[in-house]
Amino acid sequence: MAETSAITETGEPDSRPRKSSWKYIGPGIVVAATGVGAGDLVATLVAGSKFGYTLMWAAVIGCLVKITLAEAAGRWHLATGRTLFDGWRSLGPWTTVYFAIYVVIWGFIYGATAMSSSALPIVALYPDGPGLKFWAIATGLTGLAFVWFNRYAVFEKVMTVLVGIMFVVVVYVAARVVPDAGASFAGLVPVLPDGSLLYTLGLIGGVGGTITMAAYGYWVNAKGWSNSSWMKVMRLDNRVAYITTGIFVVAMLIVGAELLHASQIALTSGDRGLIDLGQVLETRFGSSTATLFLVGFFAASFSSLIGVWHGVSLMFADFVERFRAPAAGAGEAGEAGKAGEAGEHEGPAVVERRQRSLPFRVYLLWLTFPPMTLLWLDEPFGLVIAYGVLGAFFMPFLALTLLWLLNSCRTPGEWRNGWLSNGMLTLAGLLFVVLCVQQVRTLPW
């Protein structure tokens, strides 16, 4: 059941600050689990296999960048009482055009990717059973049914279990390969070996960095955190989640460094590289460790699937709702922020309504059924280009628009950016611009 705000005698939500407490942790775990998928595991493993412990510092910086971005998204929702897409709309119609194109094309290709990624470990666990296409469709339909019939409270509990499995498995495997403590600490000193720049940028910007970071504020509202009194709670939730992610990334880097770098073992590109790792683990530690790893692989992939099915569908429902309503300008946005401080905030009731709305369910179906056609076809060339370009631009778009929104009159003065937030969001924006340019350059034009 969602947490609800206390009501004062005047009928307004109680705006007294809540004490941060471990019992409230939830939305951050959801966004972190959704953002860390099989592709991130492979990228981290490859970085470890090529450069050993040298890029450990990049994983730490990446964790700090994600904490900053998620905190900014959550702060916008709580401080203004408005959704992130509502904020984007106030910046001009260009944001609506970009998001509309992005969410349609991205969802189509991501749906197939998520289903295939979730199916791979099942096929590896049951090689004599049905093939990849069968399991991909089965995981997609399971995700659809789960999100369609459940509310946020159940969704959060299941995501917490999946991230727990991911964490325990990866940390266990890292412990089995016996990390070199001295090399690990030495890796915290920033060093760029020859040929490591792109791997470094990818490690900082890639793990846990997707459109689902923008969904964090929606999950915050779904939890029942509906005004600025929840700010301390949200910040604790966010930090715990991304520190957990940081430990997770460091553990994967250790596995890559100890198991692959030392033995000069190369992985197959893409998610199938994790199948290779499973085989290496079986050879080194036996079938039980390999099986456990494949279970963790499935937890990572399936948590990303249902996280996107839920979070991005919520964003799409909000997009449709805002698209039908007149857009607010900067002045109106400032007034809306003041009204939000008076109690007119997004909350669990609004999120529940969106989850039952037609746009939410239409996008759920869009993520599930049309992408199944790609399981039989190679991804069309034009779609690959469009997906790559739009995807590359999203994280710079998120970082820079948050920087804009949180330094303007759209945000109440008390909750605008300070020097640290501005510095970190600027760093994140520049980092993602560089990654964007590199990703666009390497597309198969």
Side-chain angles (χ1 to χ4, degrees), residues 237-248:
D237 171 73
N238 175 43
R239 288 165 187 164
V240 169
Y242 278 99
I243 288 171
T244 301
T245 302
I247 295 171
F248 183 84

Side-chain angles (χ1 to χ4, degrees), residues 31-45:
V31 74
T34 305
V36 179
D40 297 300
L41 302 187
V42 173
T44 310
L45 279 171

